[in-house]
Each structure stands twice: as C-alpha cells, then as structure tokens.
Amino acid sequence: MAKMSLIQRELKRTQLVAKYKKKYDELKGTANDAKKSDDERYAARLALQALPRNAYPTRQRNRCGDTGRPRGTFRKFGLGRNKLREFVMRGEVPGMVKASW
C-alpha cells in the first residue's frame, strides 16, 4: 500500500488538471498554431508557463486503484499487476484466464 500522502497528492493533481483542462488546451492550440503570429504564439507560451505546475497532464502518474502502487499498472483495468493477478485467479475479471500451452 502506498503512502496516503502520495495518493492524496495524485488526487489533487487530477483535480487541478480537470480544472485547467479547457484553458490548457486552448493555450496549447494557440502556441502550436503556425497560422498565428509570432507575438500571439509567444504570449500563449507565457500564459502556459503561468499555469500551476500540477495543472499539466504529463505530471500525472498512473496508480493502482486498490493499493496506489505507481508501477506495473494496467490502464485498461486501473490495477497493478499483483492485484490484477489476484482478481484473475479468483475469476473476478471476465474473459481473462491463465495462459497455458
């Protein structure tokens, strides 16, 4: 189990990303638009830098939904590899079976 402080920090980042998503996408589009003037693109980049650091989606970390483990997480299930294996062995994940050949 991960420390609760790390899990809470990640939740805070998720909320900030959701809060600034519209503004971030708008500024990012303006900064990357070659049809805009250089001054407009420069102003958009400065505005992007003024956003809080945790408002950037790249700072988010995928974590296991049960344990909060940051590594070995399957996006499709939102679980770490260990928990996913436990659930599969108990038959709680439909369609998944242990490999055998």
Side-chain angles (χ1 to χ4, degrees):
M1 187 75 186
K3 288 171 51 174
M4 285 304 293
S5 60
L6 296 178
I7 294 172
Q8 292 302 317
R9 184 185 306 163
E10 201 59 43
L11 288 175
K12 187 177 177 183
R13 280 186 184 139
T14 304
Q15 291 169 351
L16 262 178
V17 167
K19 179 180 176 183
Y20 286 99
K21 181 174 178 26
K22 185 178 177 184
K23 187 172 186 177
Y24 177 83
D25 291 339
E26 181 181 306
L27 290 171
K28 196 73 166 165
T30 304
N32 292 334
D33 190 3
K35 296 176 183 174
K36 302 275 184 181
S37 70
D38 288 341
D39 293 334
E40 287 176 323
R41 294 171 66 190
Y42 182 70
R45 286 192 192 103
L46 288 179
L48 265 174
Q49 290 177 1
L51 292 178
R53 276 190 169 182
N54 286 334
Y56 293 103
T58 55
R59 289 179 64 96
Q60 287 181 305
R61 180 81 172 160
N62 291 334
R63 289 187 173 270
C64 175
D66 277 0
T67 61
R69 189 177 198 278
R71 297 178 184 218
T73 305
F74 286 79
R75 289 182 185 200
K76 184 175 181 178
F77 304 102
L79 295 171
R81 59 184 175 78
N82 301 330
K83 284 295 176 181
L84 181 62
R85 185 174 187 274
E86 286 178 19
F87 288 155
V88 168
M89 291 301 176
R90 281 188 269 160
E92 295 179 10
V93 181
M96 285 193 72
V97 292
K98 186 177 176 184
S100 60
W101 59 88

